[in-house]
Amino acid sequence: VWEKKNYPGKFHRVSWSPNLYVMDNFLSDAECKSMIDNAYPTLSTGSLVGDNINKKIKDLRFTVVPENKITEVEQAVINRIHDHVRISEEHGEILQVSEYLPGQKYTLHPDSIDSSAGPHSMQRVVTFLMYLNDVDEGGATIFPRGNGQNQHMTRQDTEPWNLKYFCNMTDTLKIKPKKGRAVFWYNH
């Protein structure tokens, strides 16, 4: 478990495998509010598709912000993201915003799927995650293989892919949500 509470001023590496970085205050309060305000009207429940998965995400609401709805604030954030990960915007994805209410979660999943996996495969080189608000408890993003842990596991291992299993493990890398905090990692 990564115990450090603050990551000021720059990105701090918190895992070597995967290469994972955290920075506090990547977003200002005004940027967080602007992104929430722009996304909120179009939030809806959706589906998770990919590597042998095709199921409804129960209760979780999210939106994909269309390019023509990106605000100046969001474009400045997108530019900053690409500056930090050193990948051009042409190779990025469209902005996505999710809302989690108490008790909700996103299932354990990889963020990039082998291109031989079929029509839902994707080669996401980098994932960039930003927290737009604070929470009283819970809400951590869990990396079961963080810092080289659990490298032996495969998706066929039923119990280890259970999210609750990892939440209760003391050596699992967990990043707690904090308004303005950004996390990014390289998937390949």
Side-chain angles (χ1 to χ4, degrees):
V1 178
W2 185 256
E3 294 296 329
K4 192 169 182 179
K5 302 287 188 225
N6 296 301
Y7 310 90
K10 63 178 184 172
F11 277 99
H12 298 264
R13 184 182 292 211
V14 298
S15 172
W16 290 91
S17 178
N19 284 315
L20 190 134
Y21 303 84
V22 181
M23 179 177 159
D24 285 343
N25 302 314
F26 180 80
L27 297 173
S28 68
D29 287 351
E31 288 171 326
C32 290
K33 182 178 182 336
S34 176
M35 292 175 78
I36 290 169
D37 290 348
N38 191 34
Y40 198 80
T42 59
L43 287 172
S44 63
T45 57
S47 298
L48 172 65
V49 291
D51 191 15
N52 298 319
I53 301 169
N54 191 359
K55 56 187 166 185
K56 191 85 165 164
I57 303 170
K58 189 175 183 180
D59 301 324
L60 171 66
R61 296 183 342 133
F62 74 96
T63 189
V64 175
V65 182
E67 287 184 44
N68 64 343
K69 299 289 184 183
I70 297 286
T71 66
E72 287 182 25
V73 169
E74 290 166 335
Q75 188 59 56
V77 169
I78 290 167
N79 292 344
R80 222 166 45 241
I81 290 168
H82 288 281
D83 286 346
H84 282 285
V85 300
R86 301 185 188 279
I87 294 176
S88 68
E89 191 172 340
E90 296 79 41
H91 296 288
E93 293 180 48
I94 207 158
L95 184 65
Q96 300 171 40
V97 179
S98 299
E99 175 187 50
Y100 298 87
L101 298 175
Q104 293 179 330
K105 65 183 184 297
Y106 201 79
T107 58
L108 194 58
H109 64 280
D111 266 9
S112 186
I113 300 168
D114 182 354
S115 60
S116 64
H120 300 299
S121 64
M122 65 178 168
Q123 292 298 312
R124 182 179 291 155
V125 176
V126 177
T127 299
F128 200 100
L129 175 69
M130 299 170 289
Y131 299 100
L132 302 180
N133 54 24
D134 291 314
V135 298
D136 293 329
E137 63 180 326
T141 303
I142 296 176
F143 297 89
R145 292 183 173 167
N147 287 324
Q149 298 293 318
N150 306 306
Q151 295 298 313
H152 63 283
M153 292 185 329
T154 68
R155 289 200 55 124
Q156 286 69 43
D157 294 328
T158 306
E159 181 58 26
W161 283 99
N162 179 319
L163 187 57
K164 188 176 243 181
Y165 175 87
F166 289 110
C167 288
N168 295 325
M169 289 180 67
T170 57
D171 62 347
T172 299
L173 177 61
K174 301 170 189 150
I175 305 297
K176 296 185 179 202
K178 182 177 179 182
K179 186 177 186 178
R181 176 175 283 170
V183 180
F184 78 92
W185 62 93
Y186 293 93
N187 296 299
H188 299 280

